[in-house]
Amino acid sequence: LEAALRRNAALQEKCEAIRAEKEAIQQSSREAMDLHAAATNELQKVRLTVQDRDRRIAELKNGVGAFETRVAALEAEIRSQQSKVQAAEDARSKEETAHSMTRAELATTLAAHRATEQALRDAEQMNVDLLSRVAEVE
C-alpha cells in the first residue's frame, strides 16, 4: 500500500509537472501568436506606407512631365516671338535703306516704318511678358 501511495504521489507530481509544462507551452503559444499578429500589423503598415510613397512618386513624375511640357511650349512661343522680332528688325533695316528714295516714296516708307516699329515694340513687349512667365513657372 505504501509503495502504491508513493507511486500515486510520484504520478501526481508528474501530472502536475506535465500540466505546468502544458500551461507554459500554451502561454508561449499565445505570446507567439500575439507577436505574429503584431508583426503582421506592422507589415501591413509598411506596405501601406510603400504604396503611399509610390503613389506620391507617380504624382510627382506626372507633375514634372506637365511642367516640362509647359516649359517646352513657352520656349517654342519665345522662339516664335524672337522670329517675329527678327523679322521686324529686318524690315526696319530695309526701311532705313529706303531713305534715299524720292520724297513721295519717302512718305510712304515712313508710314510703313512707323507701323513696323510699333509691331517691333509689341513683339518686344510680348517677348518680355513671355520671359516673365517663364521665370514664374521656374
Side-chain angles (χ1 to χ4, degrees):
L1 180 65
E2 225 176 274
L5 287 175
R6 278 193 304 262
R7 246 183 294 139
N8 191 22
L11 286 174
Q12 284 180 345
E13 284 179 21
K14 281 186 179 182
C15 268
E16 214 36 62
I18 289 172
R19 279 191 199 110
E21 189 176 338
K22 176 184 172 188
E23 181 58 35
I25 290 171
Q26 287 176 336
Q27 180 61 32
S28 293
S29 176
R30 284 190 293 272
E31 289 172 1
M33 289 171 70
D34 290 345
L35 285 174
H36 181 266
T40 300
N41 288 339
E42 200 59 35
L43 179 61
Q44 184 61 25
K45 287 179 189 176
V46 169
R47 284 182 180 145
L48 291 174
T49 300
V50 168
Q51 288 172 351
D52 185 50
R53 186 207 64 212
D54 290 347
R55 181 188 51 77
R56 285 186 302 205
I57 288 171
E59 288 172 357
L60 288 173
K61 284 181 181 178
N62 288 339
V64 167
F67 175 76
E68 288 172 344
T69 301
R70 182 67 182 136
V71 167
L74 288 172
E75 287 172 344
E77 196 170 336
I78 287 170
R79 284 191 297 276
S80 171
Q81 292 302 321
Q82 287 172 336
S83 295
K84 289 177 183 177
V85 167
Q86 184 61 46
E89 287 174 350
D90 291 347
R92 185 167 137 196
S93 174
K94 288 178 184 177
E95 287 176 21
E96 288 174 356
T97 60
H99 281 290
S100 62
M101 295 178 190
T102 63
R103 188 172 181 92
E105 292 172 325
L106 187 58
T108 304
T109 302
L110 182 59
H113 177 69
R114 287 182 179 149
T116 301
E117 283 185 334
Q118 182 60 45
L120 177 60
R121 283 192 296 273
D122 292 347
E124 287 174 345
Q125 184 59 46
M126 289 173 71
N127 197 19
V128 167
D129 294 344
L130 285 172
L131 288 174
S132 295
R133 286 176 40 202
V134 167
E136 289 174 8
V137 169
E138 290 177 350

